[in-house]
Amino acid sequence: MPYDISDKLVIGIASSALFDLGESDRVFRNEGEQAYRAFQREHESETLPKGAAMPFIRRLLNLNSRIPGVEPIEVILFSRNDPDTGQRVFNSIRDYKLDITRGVFTSGESPYRYLDSFGTSLFLSANNEDVVKAIDTGHAAGTVLRSVVTDDDDSYELRVAFDFDGVIADDSAENVYQKKNLNAFQESEISNAAVPHPPGPLREFFVKLARLQQVEQEYRLVDPSYRKSISTAIITARGAPANERVVTTLRSWNVMADKTFFLGGVEKGRILDIFRPHIFFDDQLTHLEPSSGFIPSVHIPFGRINKH
């Protein structure tokens, strides 16, 4: 029988997001492909350092043991390496005890074309070119920014933070603000307060996380000692009265976040420093750069108009 992943939350992860490949990349860029191949073989038994997405992926995979009988998570490696040069990556996956057994190796080509083959709900890579190609072909994808990785041993909880416009919802409202002004944005959101936003690139991922939270809630009803694993937050620059349409949109999908922060332009880093998500998704680099040094951050290049 073929292995069925149709009901799972499938995450595609590039080796560049899961591990710090800085040293390997320098060899490739400065000395060429043959030197890179020799370097990877020579260091094949050396575990690669953790990358920015490691804390997120490790805790996500832990849900398979916390929700027994369901095993809702599948993580698949997508790599521009070939299997030979990529062996060090799989060795490092083994060393970190990550339950990742499936991989796609494309020998230098962008792997985005194979995302549909696995029903991938989210693709993460440090290669912005691959991410843009994935977004442009309708896939949920994000560029993992370089950050300091602090992966503590408190592995029971997974904290995930999202911007709203251009991430969970589309960027139509944001474009009103960019092309006109704040007053026009506020007026548009008031007049459309009862109209749900069209979905953004990470809508499916957000909703599937929310469904897993509902499964956890059912576990708590049966066993009050069960500790909830997933905590989500929406951190948006919106403020009242533009908050109502956010609620309308989430209600239409029958989901809510655990925490929602309508900041009205206040710096997002103030909240991120307290919530400390294991990953934060935003479509504007100006919101990501101040906190990317201490929060694993992912840029969603959706629309890519006035977002830098």
Side-chain angles (χ1 to χ4, degrees):
M1 291 284 291
Y3 182 74
D4 186 11
I5 59 173
S6 58
D7 292 330
K8 295 182 180 291
L9 172 56
V10 181
I11 305 298
I13 187 79
S15 51
S16 60
L18 190 58
F19 299 112
D20 181 351
L21 301 180
E23 186 178 11
S24 303
D25 284 343
R26 281 191 292 273
V27 172
F28 183 83
R29 296 177 192 279
N30 297 333
E31 302 179 39
E33 182 178 348
Q34 293 307 313
Y36 170 77
R37 286 182 172 278
F39 178 83
Q40 293 296 63
R41 284 190 178 185
E42 182 181 349
H43 295 82
E44 197 168 276
S45 61
E46 296 180 16
T47 305
L48 289 162
K50 295 178 180 181
M54 174 69 80
F56 165 67
I57 292 296
R58 184 167 72 83
R59 286 165 176 78
L60 194 66
L61 284 168
N62 283 345
L63 292 174
N64 284 336
S65 60
R66 292 188 57 80
I67 307 179
V70 180
E71 295 188 350
I73 307 300
E74 182 74 33
V75 176
I76 297 173
L77 178 71
F78 286 82
S79 175
R80 280 176 170 254
N81 283 302
D82 59 28
D84 181 44
T85 56
Q87 186 57 44
R88 187 182 180 192
V89 175
F90 259 129
N91 288 347
S92 297
I93 286 172
R94 177 202 61 208
D95 293 343
Y96 286 113
K97 297 180 172 59
L98 300 176
D99 186 18
I100 301 174
T101 62
R102 294 172 175 83
V104 175
F105 295 90
T106 58
S107 299
E109 293 183 0
S110 176
Y112 77 96
R113 293 187 300 159
Y114 300 96
L115 297 173
D116 272 341
S117 303
F118 297 92
T120 308
S121 294
L122 177 65
F123 172 59
L124 298 176
S125 175
N127 186 315
N128 188 63
E129 178 185 345
D130 288 348
V131 169
V132 168
K133 287 179 178 178
I135 287 277
D136 286 347
T137 51
H139 298 95
T143 305
V144 177
L145 306 182
R146 289 189 63 84
S147 65
V148 176
V149 180
T150 54
D151 189 16
D152 57 49
D153 292 329
D154 184 13
S155 59
Y156 86 93
E157 186 177 40
L158 168 65
R159 297 183 297 276
V160 185
F162 301 84
D163 181 27
F164 184 73
D165 295 284
V167 178
I168 297 175
D170 77 346
D171 59 354
S172 55
E174 185 177 298
N175 286 337
V176 173
Y177 171 75
Q178 296 286 355
K179 294 176 180 178
K180 296 183 180 180
N181 53 43
L182 179 60
N183 288 337
F185 165 78
Q186 298 280 31
E187 291 171 4
S188 175
E189 291 305 283
I190 291 170
S191 63
N192 290 286
V195 180
H197 273 287
L202 265 61
R203 184 264 187 190
E204 179 185 348
F205 172 62
F206 177 80
V207 168
K208 285 189 174 183
L209 269 187
R211 299 285 184 256
L212 289 176
Q213 289 180 296
Q214 291 171 4
V215 171
E216 286 203 303
Q217 183 60 32
E218 292 169 3
Y219 269 76
R220 292 187 71 184
L221 292 175
V222 176
D223 180 7
S225 66
Y226 181 87
R227 298 174 71 188
K228 187 178 74 167
S229 301
I230 309 168
S231 181
T232 59
I234 293 174
I235 305 174
T236 172
R238 287 175 179 243
N243 64 309
E244 185 175 353
R245 198 175 179 195
V246 174
V247 176
T248 296
T249 302
L250 297 179
R251 282 177 177 173
S252 73
W253 301 338
N254 195 31
V255 295
M256 286 288 164
D258 293 306
K259 299 173 177 63
T260 303
F261 301 90
F262 297 105
L263 298 181
V266 172
E267 169 58 47
K268 293 182 180 182
R270 294 172 178 264
I271 300 300
L272 292 168
D273 191 36
I274 298 172
F275 183 61
R276 288 282 171 165
H278 298 107
I279 202 160
F280 171 49
F281 301 96
D282 202 307
D283 68 320
Q284 298 196 46
L285 286 169
T286 52
H287 291 164
L288 289 165
E289 287 167 349
S291 57
S292 62
F294 64 95
I295 297 294
S297 301
V298 178
H299 179 227
I300 309 298
F302 183 60
R304 301 190 297 285
I305 300 175
N306 298 322
K307 302 231 177 136
H308 299 282

